Amino acid sequence: GEGSGAQAAHEKFLLIAAAYETLKDEETRKDYDYMLDHPEEYYRHYYHYYSRRLAPKVDVTIVILVTVCAISVFQFFSWWSSYNEAINYLASVPKYRIQATEIARQQGLLNKTKEKGKNRRSKEEIREEEEEIIKDIIKNKIDIKGGYQKPKIYDILLFQILLAPFYWCKYIVWYCWWIYCFTIKGQEYGVEEKLYIIRRYMKMSQSQFDSLEDHQKETFLERQLWIRENYEVYKREQEEELKKKMAMDPRWKRYRRWMKNEGPGRLTFTDD
């Protein structure tokens, strides 16, 4: 009947499709001819056929490149978003706001927002424009260090990978220079070299160290913290000071009281 005819046609179609799949390129034709000549190796050819058929069609290099690019784009826009949030915050900090306002006055930028006549605007519009001027000055005129720095495209993953050989060569050259100058020739450290050693002792990144106030760095230099023994003394002092602050902190006192009386290791049973 019609059902058996349709079934036969379907099976024939599958057979033709399988034959086409097997003989469509030179590699699979060679495998098929070899299997006909060596039927005892049927299972090995069966494995090779499906491993080739199920292998990914896209080059792994392209997948990795696309993934790295996607991560890099996300990084860049995420950093820009964080940077703009930081600028909004700094515009509310008196130290930076006063500096920016003074620079704006010196350049006559704030006077332009208060024009009269046809160009006169509402107080709200003037306030918004002055706010934008202050933010622009904080971005471009005031030296902002550390975590508030403007994001750089060279910091994203893609460029870090591409520039890795350059960075390694640069580090090797710098390290050889350091050994030659200070180990072999015995030169005295300059200010930058002293601060570098102090930063390494403190286990801080460059951006973290840059975010410190200048007077803090001056204190480090006055106490000669690039000398290991001096740094160990300073470190113990800081630890003792931290312990004293924590001992005086009401929240820390409550926490210690809770740990002593109701700590996580104790089970209490109360009647409702």
Side-chain angles (χ1 to χ4, degrees):
E2 291 183 5
S4 60
Q7 180 68 25
H10 179 67
E11 290 176 0
K12 193 169 184 179
F13 172 78
L14 291 179
L15 186 62
I16 294 170
Y20 172 76
E21 187 70 25
T22 303
L23 303 174
K24 67 179 181 177
D25 59 54
E26 189 175 346
E27 287 293 325
T28 53
R29 282 200 301 272
K30 284 180 180 178
D31 286 347
Y32 180 70
D33 291 339
Y34 186 85
M35 189 182 72
L36 291 178
D37 294 335
H38 303 83
E40 71 279 1
E41 298 182 23
Y42 171 78
Y43 289 106
R44 188 169 72 87
H45 284 286
Y46 186 81
Y47 166 75
H48 282 305
Y49 168 74
Y50 276 101
S51 63
R52 184 181 289 116
R53 186 175 180 182
L54 298 175
K57 306 299 182 189
V58 181
D59 189 349
V60 176
T61 307
I62 296 174
V63 174
I64 294 173
L65 182 61
V66 170
T67 303
V68 169
C69 289
I71 293 172
S72 300
V73 170
F74 174 78
Q75 272 184 324
F76 190 69
F77 283 104
S78 175
W79 288 344
W80 262 108
S81 175
S82 299
Y83 172 68
N84 287 326
E85 287 179 13
I87 293 298
N88 290 336
Y89 165 73
L90 292 176
S92 67
V93 175
K95 171 185 171 181
Y96 291 102
R97 191 172 187 88
I98 291 169
Q99 277 184 271
T101 304
E102 185 60 31
I103 292 171
R105 284 205 184 96
Q106 289 174 2
Q107 296 182 353
L109 297 174
L110 294 181
N111 297 334
K112 293 179 181 178
T113 63
K114 299 176 181 178
E115 294 173 351
K116 297 180 180 180
K118 292 181 179 179
N119 297 325
R120 188 173 183 178
R121 282 155 292 173
S122 65
K123 290 183 178 180
E124 183 64 24
E125 287 174 331
I126 292 172
R127 192 190 67 79
E128 288 177 1
E129 188 172 341
E130 287 180 351
E131 195 69 21
E132 287 303 314
I133 290 170
I134 288 171
K135 287 178 184 177
D136 285 339
I137 289 173
I138 291 174
K139 286 180 184 179
N140 302 312
K141 303 289 184 183
I142 297 177
D143 184 22
I144 302 172
K145 298 178 179 178
Y148 297 138
Q149 285 178 320
K150 186 180 292 186
K152 299 174 183 176
I153 196 168
Y154 295 109
D155 290 335
I156 65 176
L157 180 62
L158 178 62
F159 282 97
Q160 288 292 303
I161 292 172
L162 294 176
L163 296 173
F166 168 75
Y167 289 140
W168 272 107
C169 291
K170 186 178 178 181
Y171 174 77
I172 291 169
V173 170
W174 172 85
Y175 186 74
C176 292
W177 169 82
W178 183 281
I179 295 295
Y180 175 74
C181 290
F182 305 115
T183 304
I184 297 175
K185 294 186 69 177
Q187 291 182 6
E188 290 188 7
Y189 296 125
V191 173
E192 291 300 319
E193 288 75 33
K194 290 174 182 177
L195 290 175
Y196 169 76
I197 295 171
I198 294 168
R199 179 173 70 81
R200 293 300 298 269
Y201 284 162
M202 293 182 170
K203 298 179 180 178
M204 298 175 72
S205 67
Q206 186 66 56
S207 61
Q208 288 173 325
F209 196 76
D210 287 344
S211 65
L212 297 176
E213 297 290 341
D214 289 337
H215 68 82
Q216 291 176 291
K217 296 176 184 176
E218 287 170 8
T219 302
F220 298 160
L221 293 172
E222 287 171 6
R223 297 196 57 173
Q224 299 184 344
L225 297 190
W226 68 88
I227 300 172
R228 187 80 200 191
E229 292 78 11
N230 294 347
Y231 174 72
E232 292 298 334
V233 172
Y234 172 81
K235 184 180 177 182
R236 285 195 294 271
E237 289 176 0
Q238 293 298 306
E239 288 172 351
E240 289 298 321
E241 189 175 338
L242 180 62
K243 286 179 183 177
K244 288 178 183 177
K245 284 182 179 178
M246 292 176 72
M248 298 299 293
D249 189 342
R251 291 172 298 178
W252 178 243
K253 286 181 179 178
R254 287 197 298 270
Y255 173 73
R256 283 187 301 172
R257 211 163 33 239
W258 177 80
M259 285 296 290
K260 182 178 179 181
N261 301 323
E262 306 289 342
R266 294 190 58 182
L267 293 175
T268 57
F269 298 91
T270 56
D271 295 328
D272 292 327

